[in-house]
């Protein structure tokens, strides 16, 4: 069994080859704080969490680690926007006007702007979060009215169990959404796509940030 350090180093090396400019978000949901600290010691700074309660405890437990960055990547609920706006650096899952407005209103002025990605439901799946691509323009416009928010780009999660060919098409569609976002927000710089099972394909299709959990940390609890 490779160690955490070996798995991490292998992914960093492969990313360096495939997409030297893209960034790694270590998805630490369901993983203990000790592993977050171990990865931090190896140089990792950006961590992704899905569940607010679990994340809040980890943020407290890691408050002695300078420069650590927390990304909220789970489904957003309207009643959670305040604690998320107060404690996270990034939110990847904004898909409705109301959520953008609430995050904008709840982000404390004492903090730098909250980095926002618009989650796009790229395969138009019934139960999945994410906006339709035609919502990018109105959402970008709303976010632009808040000095407490900074639109950084697009996030997407293609349908599970797609073939590699289908995955390529889904990631390419997200890339198109990202280009649309860039036209509206020239400062945008982030296309967050690709997870443990498909991040290499995502890099080939232009991901600037990949979100990897189990391939680094091993299985979740
Ligand atoms: C859990 C999760 C990931 C990481 O998944 P792995 O398959 O463990 O790499 C990435 N993105 C989102 C939105 C997730 O919920």
């Amino acid at each position: 069994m490779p160690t955490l350090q070996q798995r991490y180093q292998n992914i960093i090396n492969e990313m360096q080859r495939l997409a030297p400019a893209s960034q790694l978000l270590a998805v630490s949901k369901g993983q203990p704080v000790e592993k977050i600290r171990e990865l931090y010691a190896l140089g990792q700074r950006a961590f992704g969490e899905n569940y607010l309660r679990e994340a809040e405890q980890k943020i407290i437990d890691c408050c002695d680690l300078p420069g650590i960055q927390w990304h909220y990547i789970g489904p957003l609920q309207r009643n959670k926007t305040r604690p998320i706006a107060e404690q996270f650096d990034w939110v990847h899952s904004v898909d409705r006007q109301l959520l953008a407005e609430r995050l904008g209103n709840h982000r404390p002025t004492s903090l730098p702007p909250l980095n926002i990605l618009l989650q796009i439901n790229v395969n138009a799946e019934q139960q999945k979060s994410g906006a339709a691509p035609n919502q990018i323009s109105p959402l970008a416009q709303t976010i632009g009215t808040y000095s407490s928010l900074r639109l950084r780009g697009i996030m997407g999660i293609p349908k599970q169990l797609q073939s590699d060919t289908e995955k390529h098409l889904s990631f390419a569609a997200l890339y198109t959404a990202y280009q649309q976002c860039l036209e509206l927000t020239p400062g945008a710089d982030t296309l967050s796509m690709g997870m443990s099972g498909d991040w290499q394909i995502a890099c080939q299709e232009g991901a600037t940030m990949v979100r990897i959990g189990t391939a680094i940390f091993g299985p979740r609890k």
Side-chain angles (χ1 to χ4, degrees):
M1 263 283 281
T3 63
L4 178 63
Q5 175 165 11
Q6 285 163 342
R7 287 190 300 259
Y8 178 63
Q9 204 55 58
N10 289 342
I11 287 173
I12 294 279
N13 293 345
E14 199 179 346
M15 270 182 76
Q16 187 61 38
R17 267 195 306 111
L18 279 175
S22 80
Q23 302 198 33
L24 172 60
L25 178 66
V27 176
S28 47
K29 67 173 180 225
Q31 306 288 353
V33 169
E34 300 77 70
K35 289 191 180 176
I36 297 177
R37 288 184 162 275
E38 194 178 336
L39 225 51
Y40 179 92
L42 296 170
Q44 181 64 29
R45 292 294 176 268
F47 293 89
E49 291 283 340
N50 288 53
Y51 308 107
L52 181 61
R53 196 99 62 81
E54 176 187 345
E56 283 178 322
Q57 189 57 51
K58 287 174 172 169
I59 292 171
I60 292 170
D61 291 342
C62 293
C63 69
D64 60 319
L65 304 179
I68 196 167
Q69 242 186 37
W70 296 101
H71 294 230
Y72 187 83
I73 63 175
L76 263 184
Q77 292 162 302
R78 56 187 291 171
N79 61 337
K80 304 271 171 65
T81 49
R82 185 185 294 279
I84 288 172
E86 288 173 349
Q87 295 171 89
F88 283 82
D89 303 291
W90 288 67
V91 178
H92 288 224
S93 41
V94 173
D95 61 1
R96 277 174 286 152
Q97 297 286 345
L98 177 76
L99 296 171
E101 290 162 9
R102 290 179 66 97
L103 289 169
N105 291 326
H106 291 153
R107 179 67 167 178
T109 51
S110 57
L111 295 177
L114 182 62
N115 296 295
I116 300 289
L117 298 178
L118 301 178
Q119 184 176 349
I120 299 303
N121 186 353
V122 62
N123 301 117
E125 293 172 90
Q126 279 290 323
Q127 310 89 334
K128 194 172 263 172
S129 318
N134 68 9
Q135 293 306 297
I136 294 172
S137 172
L139 283 166
Q141 204 166 359
T142 298
I143 291 166
T145 65
Y146 287 90
S147 58
S148 55
L149 303 178
R150 179 172 170 207
L151 182 57
R152 299 292 292 265
I154 297 291
M155 182 274 240
I157 312 170
K159 200 155 118 187
Q160 291 304 295
L161 305 177
Q162 293 189 111
S163 66
D164 283 4
T165 310
E166 291 167 324
K167 278 267 164 76
H168 273 282
L169 291 171
S170 298
F171 287 132
L174 286 167
Y175 186 82
T176 301
Y178 176 51
Q179 296 307 310
Q180 236 175 295
C181 182
L182 270 178
E183 271 170 37
L184 300 157
T185 308
D189 56 6
T190 304
L191 175 55
S192 161
M193 61 183 193
M195 313 187 354
S196 289
D198 56 16
W199 68 269
Q200 290 98 334
I201 300 176
C203 283
Q204 289 164 12
E205 296 297 340
T208 72
M209 188 182 284
V210 295
R211 309 178 307 268
I212 303 184
T214 46
I216 298 175
F217 289 104
R220 285 182 275 274
K221 292 230 186 61

